[in-house]
Amino acid sequence: MMKYIGCVLAALLALPAQAAISKQQSKPAASKILSGEGVSFGGLAGTGFTLMDVRRTADAGKKVERIVIDVGDINGGMLRGWPGYYYAELKKNPQRLVVDFAQMPNANIDQKRLAERLKGSLAVVKTNMSLDPVDSSLNLTLDLKKNTKVRVYQVAGKKSTSKVVIDLITE
């Protein structure tokens, strides 16, 4: 009897482990505009990533601002394809956007340079950036003006590195 159970168990363990996992990757869903509270996430897991740069552009007439976060590979080089995994949460009281980047132990800019780049923002009141060496993550917190709407989405790197884009819409 034990021999029979052992043979059945061995046969089950020998089945391909990948049979239940689809090899097809679905395209990312279109991002939605977050108002009040909400979450947005994307990216892919990998061996590690670097926050390469943060840029800001604004159109005061349309009350729209765009923050572009360049994501590179673990060595700070260009990253083709999707950026590393991120999770963005818009919180209501106080209004802030918290973006967590997994597997991102490196950053080419620091808190001081981030604050300089976002100085004079239409929507961002204060910034905070922290690296957590224990879990190799980076946290970016943007305190926002009241009633700011947010859209966060990813852009695959083709000719340049991959990006996470944050659109801020003020009233």
Side-chain angles (χ1 to χ4, degrees), residues 6 9-10 13 15 26 30 50 68 70 75-76 84 92 102 106 109 111 142 153-156:
L9 185 58
L13 292 174
L15 291 174
S26 61
T50 300
V68 178
D70 291 330
N75 299 314
K92 196 171 189 174
N106 304 318
I109 67 171
Q111 171 61 38
L142 305 175
Y153 59 96
Q154 59 192 348
V155 177

Side-chain angles (χ1 to χ4, degrees), residues 53-143:
D53 199 7
V54 176
R55 298 183 312 281
R56 178 183 72 88
T57 59
D59 185 340
K62 293 183 179 177
K63 297 183 180 182
V64 176
E65 185 168 68
R66 175 166 286 166
I67 298 171
V68 178
I69 301 168
D70 291 330
V71 178
D73 65 17
I74 188 70
N75 299 314
M78 290 173 94
L79 179 65
R80 303 289 187 225
W82 298 111
Y85 181 76
Y86 66 91
Y87 179 85
E89 181 178 5
L90 179 63
K91 298 184 177 193
K92 196 171 189 174
N93 286 324
Q95 183 151 18
R96 68 175 39 140
L97 178 67
V98 179
V99 185
D100 290 312
F101 293 93
Q103 299 176 304
M104 190 175 282
N106 304 318
N108 290 347
I109 67 171
D110 59 9
Q111 171 61 38
K112 183 179 177 184
R113 285 183 27 200
L114 176 66
E116 287 171 3
R117 301 234 171 127
L118 297 178
K119 187 177 181 180
S121 169
L122 300 171
V124 179
V125 176
K126 181 180 167 190
T127 64
N128 186 32
M129 183 178 83
S130 62
L131 286 166
D132 186 342
V134 175
D135 67 356
S136 296
S137 66
L138 183 138
N139 174 279
L140 181 63
T141 302
L142 305 175
D143 287 348

Side-chain angles (χ1 to χ4, degrees), residues 2-62:
M2 291 301 279
K3 226 181 194 182
Y4 177 72
I5 293 173
C7 289
V8 170
L9 185 58
L12 288 174
L13 292 174
L15 291 174
Q18 298 176 355
I21 301 172
S22 170
K23 291 189 179 187
Q24 295 180 343
Q25 290 185 356
S26 61
K27 291 185 179 181
S31 62
K32 60 183 177 185
I33 294 177
L34 306 176
S35 179
E37 296 178 314
V39 298
S40 179
F41 54 89
L44 299 173
T47 57
F49 305 95
T50 300
L51 174 69
M52 295 179 63
D53 199 7
V54 176
R55 298 183 312 281
R56 178 183 72 88
T57 59
D59 185 340
K62 293 183 179 177

